[in-house]
Amino acid sequence: AISARGNSCAFAFGIDTSPQGLSNSFSSSSKTYYPPGIKAVETTANIRTRLYSLPYGDQAIYVPKVVFNFIGGFPDQCLMEDYELVALLRKRAALLDDGHGPGEALKIIP
């Protein structure tokens, strides 16, 4: 199968659940805190990303400089700017789709 050419990519979302990752560095206690539902957050974020090609900024979105400049750089807004960046990448892919084969797409790196 021929797949679309990647115009950007993002890593799958992961939460460090090792004892070091879960330790509370703001407390003098050496106990680790394992928040309830932490794996559900990780799993649902990855499902959303795979189904809808909708990563958020904490998934390290990579965009080549030429593509970044083409879409006008990083959106000038204080909230959901990562969501807007992905929307701009989708618009670019739609503009470049000539209907004769695979166009551009966001690739997710597991």
Side-chain angles (χ1 to χ4, degrees):
I2 299 174
S3 65
R5 176 179 73 243
N7 71 0
S8 54
C9 65
F11 289 98
F13 185 70
I15 299 173
D16 183 2
T17 55
S18 70
Q20 296 83 12
L22 292 174
S23 66
N24 183 352
S25 61
F26 300 107
S27 170
S28 59
S29 171
S30 62
K31 287 184 142 185
T32 59
Y33 174 67
Y34 195 89
I38 198 165
K39 279 297 185 187
V41 169
E42 182 179 89
T43 302
T44 55
N46 285 318
I47 290 171
R48 179 203 67 237
T49 301
R50 294 237 181 246
L51 286 178
Y52 303 110
S53 293
L54 188 56
Y56 292 156
D58 51 7
Q59 290 175 253
I61 301 169
Y62 166 80
V63 180
K65 183 178 180 180
V66 66
V67 174
F68 188 73
N69 290 337
F70 180 87
I71 63 172
F74 207 69
D76 186 21
Q77 58 192 66
C78 61
L79 188 62
M80 302 282 294
E81 67 284 350
D82 45 359
Y83 183 87
E84 182 64 21
L85 180 68
V86 171
L88 291 169
L89 290 168
R90 285 180 173 171
K91 287 177 186 173
R92 172 194 154 88
L95 284 173
L96 298 178
D97 184 14
D98 61 4
H100 297 294
E104 290 187 343
L106 174 75
K107 301 292 184 178
I108 307 301
I109 301 170

